[in-house]
């Protein structure tokens, strides 16, 4: 064996592992995988909500190290495009093309925040503590502004803001009554940046002793403690102020989407509604709720449907709030509305109704019809639906009290302003009538319900939800889920297994079923007739966040050169070589 063979066989002459040869590419791959996974699991239905505190930390930490912009942009934008395509995966039940387009668009819009982080984070080290803190908070503020822009950008689609990740952890959410949901997102993103700042300080800034502490991290920890203290102050002695609102029954017809818009199946749908409604009425509620557009027929514009509904409500002896279609005929055309209607046992259909204010593009109307009209609507009835302009609150009278309902249809509860306007118009309770049947039995229903939790806290009003098959239930003024309709399997005293409906929060069972349940809804007397700070002042926090970000940019200096990390000293047999 010659010397060359011996040297080649020497294990110490093997090439270094790939992560040493291509450290940037390895770091990029690690950040891509971590950011994608942590983003997805932070939101419902996966529900690992603590991950929302660190989902952005790997990418922010990498931004501190100033990787090449093209590589960083490809990693963070690609990660968010993939994550949001997964999160919106339920959309394939309606359209694969829509999913393939919408997922990357939302991901790119969210991912644009990380590009700002690439510019900002390397400029933060070396500044005074107060400058570093303001810069970190400014970046959290930019996230809030980015989320707010989603309420109107390209027509608006603020689905799954960061705050929704905490929908089952109300202790951090109470700040939303003052700031809106943006305040919760602000704290969560500040925590993400704070963890990255602490890691960078420990690993790369050369601080020693007590100076290794990260003031940025402790500042954002203080914000988290503020949220928790608000939770204690707002919810203390809550039971002492609880008063009855109404006994409300929810009907879930669970009509498959491929059946709902078939006129030949209308009578079968009406039979389902009759059976479930009379069963709900037997529990002696004060109000019965039907979900959105429960039949393909119009309660205004079709006298036979109107007469049938009024007859059913008269037999039930209970007022009915329902979602259906209205067709208003003018001299020139028919105008279609997706509405909420109140039918009373004695007086029948109320003449005034709520018309949906936020329509679904390509579902209820075709945007830019002269250009995109060839695509058509997914809802196969009528022409383009008309947009409502008014909150149209409805007064509901029970045996011993009255209350005003503010209606929201379909996904309108993802838009904070609509709920806020309804409360300012006098609503005592918000009711969401929706049809999640379009989206199968995946994560859409839970993702949708998470927004109702935030609307309840922002407005300090109970939120009642009625879905075609789920998620239906009741959320109180503090975001606590007080009832959630689920079909559970129970074994009776005779040993027989039977399917029953539970409204107990946390019950194990499916939200997708046909049936009804009745809830005893209460409210907090301290908020009767009172408006929260957010309801009174609106999106003031968004403007404050924009100013905070601008201030942070000014402090770190637009023209200030970015410090470049010194290269590691080459190693010798005796250790690092002295320069």
């Amino acid at each position: 064996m010659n010397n060359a063979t011996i040297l080649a066989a020497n294990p110490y002459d093997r090439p270094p592992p790939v992560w040493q040869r291509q450290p940037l590419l390895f770091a990029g791959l690690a950040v891509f995988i971590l950011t994608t996974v942590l983003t997805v699991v932070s939101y419902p239905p996966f529900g690992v909500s603590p991950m929302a505190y660190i989902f952005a930390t790997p990418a922010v930490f990498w931004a501190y190290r100033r990787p090449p912009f093209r590589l960083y942009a490809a990693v963070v934008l690609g990660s968010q495009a993939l994550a949001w395509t997964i999160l919106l995966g339920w959309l394939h039940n309606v359209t694969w093309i829509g999913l393939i387009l919408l997922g990357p668009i939302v991901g790119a819009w969210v991912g644009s925040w990380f590009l700002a982080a690439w510019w900002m984070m390397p400029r933060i080290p070396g500044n005074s503590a107060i400058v570093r803190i303001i810069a970190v908070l400014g970046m959290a503020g930019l996230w809030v502004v980015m989320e707010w822009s989603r309420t109107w950008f390209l027509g608006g689609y603020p689905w799954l803001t960061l705050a929704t990740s905490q929908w089952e952890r109300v202790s951090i959410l109470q700040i939303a009554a003052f700031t809106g949901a943006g305040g919760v997102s602000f704290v969560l993103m500040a925590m993400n940046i704070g963890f990255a700042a602490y890691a960078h300080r420990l690993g790369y800034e050369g601080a020693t002793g007590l100076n290794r502490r990260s003031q940025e991290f402790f500042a954002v920890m203080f914000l988290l403690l503020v949220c928790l203290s608000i939770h204690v102050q707002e919810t203390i002695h809550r039971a002492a102020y609880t008063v009855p609102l109404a006994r409300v029954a929810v009907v879930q017809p669970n009509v498959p989407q491929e059946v709902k818009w078939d006129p030949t199946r209308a009578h079968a749908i009406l039979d389902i509604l009759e059976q479930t409604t009379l069963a709900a009425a037997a529990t002696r509620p004060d109000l019965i709720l039907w979900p959105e557009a429960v039949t393909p027929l119009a309660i205004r514009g079709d006298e036979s449907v109107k007469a049938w509904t009024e007859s059913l409500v008269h037999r039930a002896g209970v007022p009915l709030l329902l979602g259906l279609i209205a067709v208003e005929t003018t001299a020139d055309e028919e105008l279609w509305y997706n509405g909420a209607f109140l039918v009373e046992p004695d007086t029948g259909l109320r003449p005034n109704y709520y018309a949906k204010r936020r329509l679904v593009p390509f579902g209820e109307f075709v945007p830019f019809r002269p250009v995109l009209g060839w695509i058509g609507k997914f809802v196969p009835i009528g022409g383009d639906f008309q947009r409502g302009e008014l909150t149209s609150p409805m007064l509901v009278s029970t045996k011993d009290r009255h209350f005003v309902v503010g209606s929201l249809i379909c996904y309108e509860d993802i838009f904070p302003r609509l709920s806020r306007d309804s409360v300012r118009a006098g609503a005592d309770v918000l009711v969401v009538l929706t049809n999640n049947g379009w989206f199968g039995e995946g994560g859409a229903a839970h993702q949708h319900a998470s927004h109702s939790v935030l609307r309840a806290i922002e407005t300090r009003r109970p939120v009642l939800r009625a879905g075609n098959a789920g998620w239906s239930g009741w959320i109180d003024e503090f975001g606590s889920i007080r009832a959630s309709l689920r079909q559970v399997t129970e074994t009776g005293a005779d040993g027989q297994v039977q399917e029953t409906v539970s409204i107990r929060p946390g019950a194990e069972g499916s939200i997708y079923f046909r049936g009804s349940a009745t809830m005893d809804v209460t409210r907090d007397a301290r908020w009767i007739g009172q408006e929260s700070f957010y309801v009174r002042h609106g999106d003031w926090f968004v403007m404050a966040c924009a100013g905070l970000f601008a201030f942070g940019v000014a402090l770190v200096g637009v023209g200030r050169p970015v410090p470049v990390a010194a290269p590691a000293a080459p190693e010798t047999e005796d250790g690092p070589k002295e320069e």
Side-chain angles (χ1 to χ4, degrees), residues 164-182:
T164 61
S165 66
Q166 308 300 302
W167 74 299
E168 295 178 307
R169 293 174 174 265
V170 298
S171 56
I172 190 179
L173 298 180
Q174 303 309 313
I175 195 174
F178 301 91
T179 62

Side-chain angles (χ1 to χ4, degrees), residues 184-416:
V184 181
S185 296
F186 180 87
V187 174
L188 291 172
M189 184 49 69
M191 289 297 300
N192 275 269
I193 304 171
F195 280 120
Y198 213 153
H200 189 265
R201 189 163 185 82
L202 292 176
Y204 291 98
E205 295 183 23
T208 58
L210 293 178
N211 288 331
R212 300 187 72 190
R213 294 175 299 177
S214 170
Q215 290 86 350
E216 303 97 294
F217 176 78
F218 290 111
V220 298
M221 280 295 296
F222 174 75
L223 291 179
L224 182 61
L225 293 176
V226 168
C227 291
L228 299 179
S229 68
I230 293 175
H231 170 69
V232 173
Q233 295 176 43
E234 291 287 300
T235 60
I236 193 169
H237 304 312
R238 181 169 54 173
Y241 295 96
T242 299
V243 296
L245 175 64
R247 185 169 168 83
V248 180
V250 176
V251 169
Q252 286 195 172
N254 195 17
V255 178
Q257 204 58 40
E258 62 272 14
V259 170
K260 173 171 289 191
W261 302 112
D262 184 355
T264 64
R265 307 294 293 272
H267 289 292
I269 296 173
L270 296 181
D271 288 342
I272 292 171
L273 290 170
E274 181 177 14
Q275 295 170 15
T276 50
T277 301
L278 293 177
T283 63
R284 305 186 67 80
D286 299 312
L287 178 67
I288 297 176
L289 302 180
W290 283 0
E292 172 196 13
V294 288
T295 80
L297 308 174
I299 195 170
R300 285 183 64 92
D302 189 328
E303 287 300 320
S304 63
V305 176
K306 176 176 177 288
W308 179 88
T309 307
E310 290 178 333
S311 174
L312 175 61
V313 172
H314 181 74
R315 291 162 56 198
V318 181
L320 172 66
L321 181 65
L322 71 157
L324 265 184
I325 304 300
V327 180
E328 304 286 0
T329 303
T330 68
D332 302 321
E333 57 183 339
E334 287 184 342
L335 302 178
W336 289 68
Y337 295 90
N338 188 355
F341 305 84
L342 185 64
V343 184
E344 296 175 304
D346 298 328
T347 58
L349 177 66
R350 288 264 189 95
N352 298 324
Y353 61 93
Y354 170 76
K356 187 179 178 187
R357 289 170 281 172
R358 279 278 189 169
L359 302 179
V360 179
F362 301 106
E364 294 163 313
F365 77 105
V366 176
F368 311 109
R369 180 167 281 279
V371 178
L372 302 177
W374 58 273
I375 297 179
K377 297 193 295 108
F378 297 123
V379 177
I381 61 170
D384 283 352
F385 280 59
Q386 305 300 307
R387 186 170 66 89
E389 301 289 343
L390 304 175
T391 57
S392 304
M394 302 180 193
L395 178 65
V396 177
S397 299
T398 67
K399 295 182 290 292
D400 53 0
R401 64 181 63 89
H402 309 280
F403 57 93
V404 178
V405 171
S407 301
L408 300 168
I409 297 177
C410 188
Y411 74 156
E412 286 190 313
D413 58 331
I414 76 173
F415 296 94

Side-chain angles (χ1 to χ4, degrees), residues 524-560:
D524 192 300
R526 292 171 294 182
W527 288 103
I528 296 177
Q530 300 298 315
E531 294 181 350
S532 68
F533 189 90
Y534 175 72
V535 169
R536 292 197 304 271
H537 301 286
D539 292 322
W540 67 273
F541 187 69
V542 176
M543 301 302 104
C545 284
L548 185 59
F549 172 67
F551 189 36
V553 169
L555 286 179
V556 299
V558 174
R560 178 178 176 174

